[in-house]
Amino acid sequence: MADTVTVTTPSRHPLRQLLAASVGNAVEWYDWYAYTFLATYIAAQVFPEDADDSLVPLLAAFAVFAVGFFMRPVGGLLMGAVADRRGRRTALTVTILLMGGSSLLVGLTPTYASAGLLAPVVLVVARLLQGLSVGGEFAASTTFLVESAGPGRRGLFSSFQYVSTTVGQLAASGVAALLVSSLSSGQMDGWGWRVPFVLGAVLSLVGFWIRRGAHETRSAEQRRAPEPRLFDALRHHPRQSLLICGITAGGTLAYYTWTSYLPTYAELNVGMDKADALLVGTVSLAVFALLQPVGGMLSDRYGRKPVLLFFGIGFALLPVSLLRALTGSWLSLLLVQLAGMVLLTGFTSVSAAVNAEVFPARVRAAGIGFPYSLTVALFGGTAPYVGTLFKDLGHPGLFPWYVSVLCLVSSVVYLRLPETAHKELDR
């Protein structure tokens, strides 16, 4: 664990800092998640049909989703280095402009019928750019939020990482649900699926404007110090890098399963109506956002480990039973999704604080960004693809076991994790 050094006073305008980080982060994640909720429409328009297997286009769409995740470690490393060298605010303004441009590119992607193979190529390029942006966003905004917090409030402030992420996801889900319920199938296939991405590009400009007024949290001492090299965090802090991987593995798989893939899982495995699944997902996400500050405050008072273990042990024991409880009714999906999100709060509300408390300030953003984003790419980004692949292979029941095993592994890491809630943050 990093040694504690000189501590500087957090920002005098914490609410302004929260707004700058949260609004921009919400816009970033709105753009990212819109793809997930509209994957079935994108698959039908951008990828060629397979006469022998109707799941092939959807698998291709989720494969592109996963490809975007594998740019996130690159973004975490590069944008994290920008945050460590040039400041957290500079990195945050770059990432949101990059996300806006890539979201617009998704919205303008041609169909396979009109452009052939160019269509999936354009989509892949857009998702790669989005992955670069999101990887850098998490590294910079996590560092920015925790460094903006006052004494005893790092858990609370860090919880807004997932409050804003969930608000962005909620907005994407809500827009998708509104479009699906108000437009015909032909309109959705023709132009409706493009609307959320064009809207996201416009919202990115709003986030950029808000972030320009944020207060830089990198201390004067850090600005005077020699600039860190690109791989200094990995080279000098390998244990901390591996620790973040272990903390994140189970959490990211459970997160993307319950917040993104579960509606599609219900559609594929129990015949859930698409519009009902999107509506249930939207309601569940609203509850999930409200739970985050509660988890953050509990971790500030009682420590990070108990909150993390609440998540880890719960998800090691319950995913199989919860997913088996799904039926074709919207009520079963709502109950299953809410139960999982209560448990999931134990991870999402404190992970940003734990990650920031692991690394010293000099390499904090890059140190968080690369191992976290790599782990998310390996386990979170592939969750929809793995779940759909199990279904395609005729073994959908294996997927919840996969979630349980990985959460059990992370629980072992939580048990051995040093408690950092009441230690001073290296600045």
Side-chain angles (χ1 to χ4, degrees), residues 253 257-258 261 265 319 323 382-384 386-388 390 395-404:
L253 176 59
T257 297
W258 244 257
Y261 179 58
Y265 181 90
L323 293 183
T382 58
V386 171
T388 306
F390 277 138
H395 301 288
L398 291 179
F399 183 68
W401 285 105
Y402 170 58
V403 177
S404 289

Side-chain angles (χ1 to χ4, degrees), residues 229-241:
R229 297 178 182 177
L230 189 60
F231 294 101
D232 272 3
L234 288 172
R235 184 164 51 244
H236 300 302
H237 306 279
R239 179 181 175 275
Q240 287 88 337
S241 298

Side-chain angles (χ1 to χ4, degrees), residues 328-348:
S329 74
W330 65 269
L331 181 59
S332 73
L333 178 58
L334 178 63
L335 293 175
V336 167
Q337 194 154 20
L338 287 177
M341 285 179 167
V342 170
L343 293 172
L344 188 57
T345 298
F347 169 76
T348 53

Side-chain angles (χ1 to χ4, degrees), residues 356-372:
E357 289 161 353
V358 163
F359 278 97
R362 180 174 178 269
V363 293
R364 180 170 290 137
I368 293 170
F370 183 75
Y372 174 87

Side-chain angles (χ1 to χ4, degrees), residues 45-121:
Q45 296 302 310
V46 178
F47 297 98
E49 294 184 7
D50 189 309
D52 298 324
D53 192 343
S54 61
L55 283 178
V56 167
L58 183 58
L59 282 170
F62 280 142
V64 174
F65 180 76
V67 164
F69 272 84
F70 281 93
M71 280 300 288
R72 288 177 61 166
V74 179
L77 186 63
L78 295 180
M79 290 297 102
V82 170
D84 289 333
R85 295 177 181 184
R86 298 290 180 261
R88 320 314 191 196
R89 187 178 63 176
T90 298
L92 288 173
T93 55
V94 171
T95 58
I96 200 165
L97 287 177
L98 185 59
M99 178 58 82
S102 54
S103 181
L104 182 61
L105 188 58
V106 174
L108 299 178
T109 298
T111 64
Y112 187 84
S114 65
L117 290 176
L118 179 62
V121 169

Side-chain angles (χ1 to χ4, degrees), residues 246-272:
I247 292 168
T248 305
T252 188
L253 176 59
Y255 176 77
Y256 280 99
T257 297
W258 244 257
T259 64
S260 300
Y261 179 58
L262 195 58
T264 302
Y265 181 90
E267 290 174 37
L268 293 176
N269 291 280
V270 297
M272 176 71 65

Side-chain angles (χ1 to χ4, degrees), residues 8-287:
T8 58
T9 304
S11 169
R12 291 174 295 176
H13 306 286
L15 293 180
R16 184 186 300 173
Q17 296 292 93
L18 275 179
L19 181 65
S22 299
V23 173
N25 197 47
V27 172
E28 283 261 356
W29 289 98
Y30 164 86
D31 290 342
W32 178 257
Y33 280 116
Y35 183 97
T36 306
F37 293 116
L38 296 165
T40 53
Y41 296 100
I42 295 172
Q45 296 302 310
V46 178
F47 297 98
E49 294 184 7
D50 189 309
D52 298 324
D53 192 343
S54 61
L55 283 178
V56 167
L58 183 58
L59 282 170
F62 280 142
V64 174
F65 180 76
V67 164
F69 272 84
F70 281 93
M71 280 300 288
R72 288 177 61 166
V74 179
L77 186 63
L78 295 180
M79 290 297 102
V82 170
D84 289 333
R85 295 177 181 184
R86 298 290 180 261
R88 320 314 191 196
R89 187 178 63 176
T90 298
L92 288 173
T93 55
V94 171
T95 58
I96 200 165
L97 287 177
L98 185 59
M99 178 58 82
S102 54
S103 181
L104 182 61
L105 188 58
V106 174
L108 299 178
T109 298
T111 64
Y112 187 84
S114 65
L117 290 176
L118 179 62
V121 169
V122 171
L123 185 64
V124 168
V125 170
R127 286 301 289 181
L128 289 175
L129 292 175
Q130 284 189 325
L132 188 71
S133 173
V134 166
E137 172 70 19
F138 184 88
S141 64
T142 292
T143 304
F144 180 85
L145 276 170
V146 176
E147 290 178 348
S148 296
R153 292 187 175 181
R154 293 199 303 266
L156 175 61
F157 269 54
S158 80
S159 72
F160 279 85
Q161 176 73 35
Y162 275 93
V163 170
S164 55
T165 296
T166 305
V167 168
Q169 189 173 2
L170 182 62
S173 175
V175 169
L178 178 63
L179 289 169
V180 169
S181 62
S182 60
L183 299 179
S184 66
S185 296
Q187 289 172 322
M188 278 300 301
D189 289 334
W191 56 269
W193 66 269
R194 301 179 184 274
V195 172
F197 300 103
V198 177
L199 176 61
V202 175
L203 292 175
S204 294
L205 295 177
V206 176
F208 169 74
W209 177 76
I210 291 173
R211 283 184 167 178
R212 289 184 63 191
H215 170 73
E216 176 57 54
T217 62
R218 193 171 61 131
S219 68
E221 181 181 352
Q222 291 301 324
R223 295 174 204 174
R224 291 191 297 268
E227 292 184 350
R229 297 178 182 177
L230 189 60
F231 294 101
D232 272 3
L234 288 172
R235 184 164 51 244
H236 300 302
H237 306 279
R239 179 181 175 275
Q240 287 88 337
S241 298
L242 290 174
L243 192 61
I244 285 184
C245 292
I247 292 168
T248 305
T252 188
L253 176 59
Y255 176 77
Y256 280 99
T257 297
W258 244 257
T259 64
S260 300
Y261 179 58
L262 195 58
T264 302
Y265 181 90
E267 290 174 37
L268 293 176
N269 291 280
V270 297
M272 176 71 65
D273 178 76
K274 185 181 298 183
D276 286 345
L278 283 172
L279 180 59
V280 168
T282 302
V283 173
S284 301
L285 285 169
V287 176

